[in-house]
Amino acid sequence: MGFATVRTIVTDTVIVIWDRLQAAEMPIPDHDKWTSIADKFFARCDFPLCIGALDGKHVKIKAPPNSGSKYFNYKGHHSVVLMAIADADCKFIVINVGAYGSNSDGGILQDSAFYKLLNSNNLNIPNPTFIPGTNTTVPFVFVADEAFPLSPNMMRPFPRRELTDEKRIFNYRLSRARRQVECAFGILSSMWRILLGTIEVHDTFACHIVKAVCVLHNMILNKEEERIPFISNDELAVEARTRNNDLPACNRRPGNEAIIIRDKFMSYFVSPLGSLPWQNN
């Protein structure tokens, strides 16, 4: 077959894969699904009322013609950004593909349809409830790293400067939950090795490829649960200490409500009920 014919076949196929599988393998969660996700995060990662781990992954692409520096990221190559929220099983709940590599993770999030639905309370997220075993009420939250803003539904670590023991423990416990999205990206790249190098197609086609492999990722994990990784507490402790420091931090000032909610989680994590035997190590 000729080059143009093969290109058309592959383009049409990756679009159809997303269109036909998305509703079944990456549906919009309802109230019960969010609750189920939170239960698994609490069981596996010891973080209560967590409904997703958020992060961004730069997917290398060939620089589009006349694109200037729009796709050029802080890592020194051209990319589009895969912004994703993963559950405790390392499956994708929500993805956003195609933002310029030069954009910050926080900026990409705030421009996304997901963030608009979150702020308008249109995501079917359950109402705030008690942290299990306590009378402390907090909302269901997503966990993210320093690149994202702190908000009532989005928890991020405390800044590294002047960390107290309590804040350090909170950061470690958040890292245990947030690790799930990094594992999801690792599994995705190991299964679909086109993501390990530069995708030599135009940016729109690259986005279709990324969306297709993300929905196939969910389909495979749904059928082969043994692929879901087990991460030891020792590995998580090392990850928390060695998290790379080259991420551009989001310096937007959080509101008082978000600060109070983060402090409530911190107090729970250092309480006799919520602490873990090894977290002080």
Coordinates of all heavy atoms in Angstrom, one line a residue, residues 126-187:
P126 N -19.8 13.4 45.2 CA -20.7 13.4 46.4 C -20.4 14.6 47.3 O -19.3 15.3 47.2 CB -20.2 12.1 47.1 CG -19.6 11.3 46.0 CD -19.0 12.2 45.0
N127 N -21.3 14.9 48.1 CA -21.2 16.1 49.0 C -20.1 15.8 50.1 O -19.7 14.6 50.3 CB -22.5 16.3 49.7 CG -23.6 16.9 48.8 OD1 -23.3 17.6 47.9 ND2 -24.8 16.5 49.1
P128 N -19.5 16.8 50.7 CA -18.5 16.6 51.8 C -19.1 15.7 52.8 O -20.3 15.6 53.1 CB -18.3 18.0 52.3 CG -18.6 18.9 51.2 CD -19.7 18.3 50.4
T129 N -18.2 14.9 53.4 CA -18.6 13.9 54.4 C -17.5 13.8 55.5 O -16.5 14.4 55.4 CB -18.9 12.5 53.8 OG1 -19.5 11.7 54.7 CG2 -17.6 11.9 53.2
F130 N -17.7 12.9 56.4 CA -16.7 12.7 57.5 C -15.6 11.9 57.1 O -15.7 10.9 56.3 CB -17.4 12.0 58.7 CG -18.5 12.8 59.4 CD1 -19.8 12.3 59.3 CD2 -18.3 14.0 60.0 CE1 -20.8 13.0 59.9 CE2 -19.3 14.7 60.6 CZ -20.6 14.2 60.6
I131 N -14.4 12.3 57.5 CA -13.2 11.4 57.4 C -13.5 10.1 58.2 O -14.0 10.2 59.3 CB -11.9 12.0 57.9 CG1 -11.6 13.2 57.0 CG2 -10.8 11.0 57.9 CD1 -10.3 14.0 57.5
P132 N -13.4 8.9 57.6 CA -13.8 7.7 58.3 C -13.2 7.6 59.8 O -12.1 7.9 60.0 CB -13.1 6.6 57.5 CG -13.1 7.2 56.1 CD -12.8 8.6 56.3
G133 N -14.2 7.3 60.7 CA -13.8 7.2 62.1 C -13.7 8.5 62.9 O -13.3 8.5 64.0
T134 N -14.0 9.6 62.2 CA -13.9 10.9 62.9 C -15.2 11.7 62.7 O -16.1 11.3 61.9 CB -12.7 11.8 62.3 OG1 -13.1 12.3 61.0 CG2 -11.5 10.9 62.1
N135 N -15.3 12.9 63.3 CA -16.4 13.8 63.1 C -15.9 15.0 62.3 O -16.5 16.1 62.4 CB -17.0 14.2 64.4 CG -16.0 14.9 65.4 OD1 -14.8 15.0 65.0 ND2 -16.5 15.3 66.5
T136 N -14.8 14.9 61.6 CA -14.2 15.9 60.8 C -14.8 15.9 59.3 O -14.6 14.8 58.7 CB -12.7 15.8 60.7 OG1 -12.2 15.9 62.1 CG2 -12.1 17.0 59.9
T137 N -15.4 16.9 58.9 CA -16.0 16.9 57.6 C -15.1 17.6 56.6 O -14.6 18.7 56.8 CB -17.4 17.7 57.6 OG1 -18.2 17.1 58.5 CG2 -18.0 17.7 56.2
V138 N -14.9 16.9 55.4 CA -14.1 17.5 54.3 C -14.7 17.1 53.0 O -15.5 16.1 53.0 CB -12.6 17.0 54.4 CG1 -11.8 17.5 55.6 CG2 -12.5 15.5 54.3
P139 N -14.4 17.8 51.9 CA -14.9 17.4 50.6 C -14.1 16.3 50.1 O -13.0 16.0 50.5 CB -14.8 18.7 49.8 CG -13.6 19.4 50.4 CD -13.7 19.1 51.9
F140 N -14.6 15.6 49.1 CA -13.9 14.6 48.3 C -12.8 15.4 47.5 O -13.2 16.5 47.0 CB -14.8 13.8 47.3 CG -15.6 12.8 48.0 CD1 -16.8 13.2 48.7 CD2 -15.2 11.5 48.1 CE1 -17.5 12.2 49.4 CE2 -16.0 10.5 48.7 CZ -17.1 10.9 49.4
V141 N -11.6 14.9 47.3 CA -10.5 15.7 46.7 C -9.7 14.9 45.7 O -9.7 13.7 45.7 CB -9.6 16.2 47.8 CG1 -10.3 17.1 48.8 CG2 -8.9 15.0 48.6
F142 N -9.1 15.6 44.8 CA -8.1 15.1 43.9 C -6.7 15.5 44.5 O -6.6 16.5 45.2 CB -8.2 15.7 42.5 CG -9.5 15.4 41.9 CD1 -10.6 16.3 42.0 CD2 -9.7 14.3 41.2 CE1 -11.8 16.1 41.4 CE2 -10.9 14.0 40.6 CZ -12.0 14.9 40.7
V143 N -5.7 14.7 44.3 CA -4.4 15.0 44.8 C -3.5 15.3 43.6 O -3.6 14.6 42.5 CB -3.8 13.8 45.6 CG1 -4.6 13.7 46.9 CG2 -3.8 12.5 44.8
A144 N -2.6 16.2 43.8 CA -1.7 16.7 42.7 C -0.4 17.1 43.3 O -0.2 17.2 44.5 CB -2.3 17.8 41.9
D145 N 0.6 17.5 42.4 CA 1.9 18.0 42.9 C 1.9 19.5 42.9 O 0.9 20.2 42.7 CB 3.0 17.4 42.1 CG 3.0 17.8 40.6 OD1 2.4 18.8 40.3 OD2 3.5 17.0 39.7
E146 N 3.1 20.0 43.1 CA 3.3 21.5 43.3 C 2.9 22.3 42.1 O 2.8 23.5 42.2 CB 4.7 21.8 43.7 CG 5.2 21.2 45.0 CD 5.9 19.9 44.7 OE1 5.6 19.1 43.8 OE2 6.9 19.5 45.5
A147 N 2.8 21.7 40.9 CA 2.5 22.4 39.7 C 1.1 22.9 39.6 O 0.7 23.7 38.7 CB 2.9 21.6 38.5
F148 N 0.2 22.4 40.5 CA -1.2 22.7 40.5 C -1.6 23.5 41.6 O -1.0 23.5 42.7 CB -2.0 21.3 40.5 CG -1.7 20.5 39.2 CD1 -0.7 19.5 39.3 CD2 -2.4 20.7 38.1 CE1 -0.5 18.8 38.2 CE2 -2.2 19.9 36.9 CZ -1.2 19.0 37.0
P149 N -2.7 24.3 41.5 CA -3.2 25.2 42.6 C -3.9 24.4 43.7 O -4.5 23.4 43.4 CB -4.1 26.1 41.9 CG -4.7 25.3 40.7 CD -3.6 24.4 40.3
L150 N -3.7 24.9 44.9 CA -4.5 24.3 46.0 C -5.9 24.9 46.0 O -6.1 26.1 45.9 CB -3.8 24.7 47.3 CG -4.5 24.2 48.6 CD1 -4.4 22.7 48.8 CD2 -3.8 24.9 49.8
S151 N -6.9 24.0 46.1 CA -8.3 24.5 46.1 C -9.1 23.5 47.0 O -8.6 22.4 47.4 CB -8.9 24.5 44.7 OG -9.0 23.2 44.2
P152 N -10.3 23.8 47.3 CA -11.1 22.9 48.2 C -11.2 21.5 47.7 O -11.3 20.5 48.5 CB -12.5 23.6 48.3 CG -12.2 25.0 48.1 CD -11.1 25.1 47.1
N153 N -11.2 21.3 46.4 CA -11.2 19.9 45.8 C -9.9 19.4 45.3 O -9.9 18.4 44.6 CB -12.3 19.8 44.8 CG -13.7 19.9 45.3 OD1 -14.4 21.0 45.1 ND2 -14.2 18.9 46.0
M154 N -8.8 20.2 45.5 CA -7.5 19.8 44.9 C -6.4 20.0 46.0 O -6.1 21.1 46.4 CB -7.2 20.7 43.7 CG -6.0 20.3 43.0 SD -6.3 18.9 41.9 CE -7.5 19.6 40.7
M155 N -5.9 18.9 46.5 CA -4.8 19.0 47.5 C -3.5 18.9 46.8 O -3.2 18.0 45.9 CB -5.0 17.8 48.5 CG -6.2 17.9 49.4 SD -6.2 19.3 50.6 CE -7.2 20.5 49.7
R156 N -2.5 19.7 47.2 CA -1.2 19.7 46.8 C -0.2 19.7 48.0 O -0.7 20.0 49.1 CB -0.9 20.9 45.9 CG -1.1 22.2 46.5 CD -0.6 23.4 45.7 NE 0.8 23.6 46.0 CZ 1.6 24.5 45.3 NH1 1.1 25.2 44.4 NH2 2.9 24.6 45.6
P157 N 1.1 19.4 47.8 CA 1.9 19.3 49.0 C 2.2 20.7 49.6 O 2.0 21.7 48.9 CB 3.3 18.7 48.4 CG 2.9 18.2 47.1 CD 1.7 18.9 46.6
F158 N 2.6 20.7 50.8 CA 3.1 21.9 51.4 C 4.4 22.3 50.8 O 5.2 21.4 50.3 CB 3.4 21.8 52.9 CG 2.1 21.7 53.8 CD1 1.6 20.5 54.2 CD2 1.5 22.9 54.2 CE1 0.4 20.5 54.9 CE2 0.3 22.9 54.9 CZ -0.2 21.6 55.3
P159 N 4.8 23.6 50.6 CA 6.0 24.0 50.1 C 7.2 23.4 50.9 O 7.1 23.2 52.1 CB 6.0 25.5 50.2 CG 4.6 25.9 50.3 CD 3.9 24.8 51.0
R160 N 8.3 23.1 50.2 CA 9.4 22.4 50.8 C 10.2 23.2 51.8 O 10.9 22.7 52.7 CB 10.4 21.9 49.7 CG 9.8 20.8 48.8 CD 10.9 20.3 47.9 NE 10.3 19.3 47.0 CZ 9.8 19.6 45.8 NH1 9.8 20.9 45.4 NH2 9.3 18.7 45.0
R161 N 10.0 24.5 51.7 CA 10.7 25.4 52.7 C 10.0 25.3 54.0 O 8.8 25.4 54.1 CB 10.8 26.8 52.2 CG 9.5 27.5 51.9 CD 9.6 28.9 51.3 NE 8.3 29.5 51.2 CZ 7.5 29.3 50.1 NH1 7.9 28.5 49.2 NH2 6.3 29.9 50.0
E162 N 10.8 25.3 55.1 CA 10.3 25.3 56.5 C 9.3 24.3 56.7 O 8.2 24.5 57.3 CB 9.8 26.7 56.8 CG 10.9 27.8 56.6 CD 10.3 29.2 57.0 OE1 9.1 29.3 57.4 OE2 11.0 30.2 56.8
L163 N 9.5 23.0 56.3 CA 8.6 22.0 56.6 C 8.6 21.5 58.1 O 9.7 21.2 58.6 CB 8.8 20.7 55.7 CG 8.4 20.8 54.3 CD1 8.8 19.5 53.5 CD2 6.9 21.0 54.2
T164 N 7.5 21.4 58.7 CA 7.4 20.8 60.1 C 7.3 19.3 59.9 O 7.0 18.8 58.7 CB 6.2 21.3 60.8 OG1 5.0 21.0 60.1 CG2 6.3 22.9 61.0
D165 N 7.4 18.5 61.0 CA 7.2 17.1 60.8 C 5.8 16.8 60.4 O 5.6 15.9 59.6 CB 7.5 16.4 62.2 CG 8.9 16.4 62.6 OD1 9.8 16.6 61.7 OD2 9.2 16.2 63.8
E166 N 4.8 17.5 60.9 CA 3.4 17.3 60.5 C 3.2 17.5 59.0 O 2.6 16.7 58.3 CB 2.5 18.1 61.3 CG 2.4 17.8 62.7 CD 3.5 18.3 63.5 OE1 4.3 19.1 63.0 OE2 3.6 18.0 64.7
K167 N 3.8 18.6 58.5 CA 3.7 18.9 57.0 C 4.4 17.9 56.2 O 4.0 17.5 55.1 CB 4.2 20.3 56.7 CG 3.3 21.4 57.3 CD 3.9 22.8 57.1 CE 3.0 23.9 57.6 NZ 3.6 25.3 57.3
R168 N 5.6 17.5 56.7 CA 6.3 16.5 55.9 C 5.5 15.1 55.8 O 5.5 14.5 54.8 CB 7.7 16.2 56.6 CG 8.7 15.6 55.7 CD 10.0 15.4 56.5 NE 10.5 16.7 57.1 CZ 11.2 17.6 56.5 NH1 11.6 17.3 55.2 NH2 11.6 18.7 57.1
I169 N 4.9 14.8 56.9 CA 4.1 13.6 56.9 C 2.9 13.7 55.9 O 2.5 12.8 55.2 CB 3.6 13.2 58.3 CG1 4.8 12.7 59.1 CG2 2.4 12.2 58.3 CD1 4.5 12.5 60.6
F170 N 2.2 14.9 55.9 CA 1.2 15.1 55.0 C 1.7 15.0 53.5 O 1.0 14.3 52.7 CB 0.6 16.5 55.1 CG -0.4 16.9 54.0 CD1 -1.8 16.5 54.1 CD2 0.0 17.5 52.9 CE1 -2.7 16.8 53.1 CE2 -0.9 17.8 51.8 CZ -2.2 17.5 52.0
N171 N 2.8 15.5 53.2 CA 3.4 15.4 51.9 C 3.7 14.0 51.5 O 3.4 13.6 50.4 CB 4.7 16.2 51.8 CG 4.4 17.7 51.7 OD1 3.3 18.2 51.8 ND2 5.5 18.5 51.6
Y172 N 4.2 13.2 52.5 CA 4.4 11.8 52.2 C 3.1 11.0 51.9 O 3.0 10.2 51.0 CB 5.1 11.1 53.4 CG 5.1 9.6 53.4 CD1 5.8 8.9 52.4 CD2 4.5 8.9 54.4 CE1 5.7 7.5 52.3 CE2 4.5 7.5 54.3 CZ 5.1 6.8 53.3 OH 5.1 5.5 53.3
R173 N 2.1 11.3 52.7 CA 0.8 10.6 52.5 C 0.1 11.0 51.2 O -0.5 10.2 50.6 CB -0.1 10.9 53.7 CG 0.4 10.4 55.1 CD 0.4 8.9 55.1 NE -1.0 8.4 55.2 CZ -1.7 8.2 56.3 NH1 -1.1 8.5 57.5 NH2 -2.9 7.8 56.3
L174 N 0.3 12.3 50.9 CA -0.3 12.7 49.6 C 0.5 12.0 48.4 O -0.1 11.6 47.4 CB -0.2 14.2 49.4 CG -0.8 14.8 48.2 CD1 -1.6 16.1 48.5 CD2 0.3 15.1 47.1
S175 N 1.8 11.9 48.6 CA 2.7 11.2 47.6 C 2.2 9.8 47.4 O 2.3 9.3 46.2 CB 4.1 11.3 48.0 OG 4.9 10.7 47.0
R176 N 1.8 9.1 48.4 CA 1.4 7.7 48.3 C 0.2 7.6 47.4 O 0.1 6.7 46.6 CB 1.0 7.2 49.7 CG 2.1 6.8 50.6 CD 1.6 6.4 52.0 NE 0.6 5.3 51.9 CZ 0.9 4.0 51.8 NH1 2.2 3.6 51.8 NH2 0.0 3.1 51.8
A177 N -0.7 8.6 47.5 CA -1.9 8.5 46.6 C -1.6 9.0 45.2 O -2.0 8.5 44.2 CB -3.0 9.4 47.2
R178 N -0.8 10.1 45.1 CA -0.5 10.7 43.8 C 0.4 9.8 43.0 O 0.3 9.9 41.7 CB 0.2 12.0 44.0 CG 0.2 12.9 42.8 CD 1.2 14.1 43.1 NE 2.5 13.7 43.4 CZ 3.3 13.2 42.5 NH1 3.0 13.1 41.2 NH2 4.6 12.8 42.9
R179 N 1.1 8.9 43.6 CA 1.9 7.9 42.8 C 1.1 7.1 41.8 O 1.7 6.7 40.8 CB 2.6 7.0 43.8 CG 3.5 5.9 43.2 CD 4.8 6.5 42.6 NE 5.7 5.5 42.1 CZ 6.7 5.0 42.8 NH1 6.9 5.4 44.0 NH2 7.4 4.0 42.3
Q180 N -0.2 6.9 42.0 CA -1.0 6.1 41.1 C -1.0 6.7 39.7 O -1.0 5.9 38.7 CB -2.4 6.0 41.7 CG -2.5 5.3 43.0 CD -1.7 4.0 43.1 OE1 -0.7 3.9 43.7 NE2 -2.3 2.9 42.5
V181 N -1.0 8.0 39.5 CA -1.1 8.5 38.2 C 0.3 8.4 37.5 O 0.4 8.1 36.3 CB -1.5 10.0 38.2 CG1 -0.5 10.9 38.8 CG2 -1.9 10.5 36.8
E182 N 1.4 8.5 38.3 CA 2.7 8.2 37.7 C 2.9 6.8 37.3 O 3.5 6.5 36.2 CB 3.8 8.6 38.7 CG 3.9 10.1 39.0 CD 5.1 10.5 39.8 OE1 5.8 9.6 40.3 OE2 5.4 11.7 39.8
C183 N 2.3 5.9 38.1 CA 2.3 4.5 37.7 C 1.5 4.3 36.4 O 1.9 3.5 35.5 CB 1.8 3.6 38.8 SG 2.9 3.4 40.2
A184 N 0.4 5.0 36.3 CA -0.4 4.8 35.1 C 0.3 5.3 33.9 O 0.3 4.6 32.8 CB -1.7 5.7 35.2
F185 N 1.1 6.4 34.0 CA 1.9 6.8 32.8 C 3.0 5.8 32.5 O 3.3 5.6 31.3 CB 2.5 8.2 33.1 CG 1.5 9.4 33.1 CD1 1.7 10.4 34.0 CD2 0.5 9.4 32.3 CE1 0.9 11.5 34.0 CE2 -0.4 10.5 32.3 CZ -0.2 11.5 33.2
G186 N 3.6 5.2 33.5 CA 4.6 4.3 33.3 C 4.1 3.0 32.6 O 4.7 2.5 31.7
I187 N 3.0 2.5 33.0 CA 2.4 1.4 32.4 C 2.0 1.7 30.9 O 2.2 0.9 30.0 CB 1.1 0.9 33.1 CG1 1.5 0.4 34.5 CG2 0.4 -0.2 32.4 CD1 0.3 0.2 35.5

